Amino acid sequence: MKKSLLFLAPFLLLFSCMDSEEGISPQLLEGMWVSKTVEEDITFDYLFKFHPNGTFESYFIITEIEEEKYLGIDEYVTGNFSIRDGILFLSNRRFFYPENKFNPNPDAMIEKDTRIKHADKKMALAFENNREVLVMAFAGYDAEGLNEEELVMVEAIPFSYTFQRITDYDFNP
């Protein structure tokens, strides 16, 4: 009896360490994702790059607008990411904006006030289409440890984006 239990132990250990179908590992996010959004008078791409070391980059890129002088990268964000219970946490976020709004240039970005601490952003995740489509829905902020003066929230209403996995992106509109 003891020998048969010892024989089963490696299989039990193997299956207990595997992610369930519902579990989302950070490796599934690795790579580049883009969401193309059309609103009333603006078209923009929301681009995420998730790196194997647990860092991310995101870009808000205006691709079509009535006044063409506003085309290009409007916001660039860097930080760390982690996944807990199917929720994506974006932490240690640093925000950058174009030095000249009339001529956005990715090489001339300035950092927003670094004295301000930003609450961790939480996004619910779901994959579709053989993990080539990623749906991220705003799930709130994790403001633990921040006082009222330090808490900075940009989004006031819930939102979601649907991203397509891509291998390359042309930053020239």
Side-chain angles (χ1 to χ4, degrees), residues 41-84:
D41 57 350
I42 186 172
T43 302
F44 62 88
D45 289 352
Y46 194 20
L47 179 75
F48 266 95
K49 290 182 184 179
F50 293 100
H51 303 285
N53 65 358
T55 62
F56 78 91
E57 300 173 76
S58 72
Y59 301 82
F60 181 84
I61 305 160
I62 299 172
T63 57
E64 288 182 37
I65 193 167
E66 192 171 303
E67 295 186 46
E68 288 189 11
K69 64 184 177 183
Y70 294 110
L71 290 176
I73 298 173
D74 191 56
E75 179 184 69
Y76 169 67
V77 181
T78 64
N80 299 323
F81 76 94
S82 61
I83 300 172
R84 296 187 301 267

Side-chain angles (χ1 to χ4, degrees), residues 119-139:
D120 292 356
K121 189 177 195 177
K122 299 189 301 187
M123 304 290 283
L125 300 175
F127 284 95
E128 300 175 355
N129 196 24
N130 291 329
R131 298 183 175 151
E132 293 299 309
V133 173
L134 170 65
V135 179
M136 294 193 329
F138 177 66

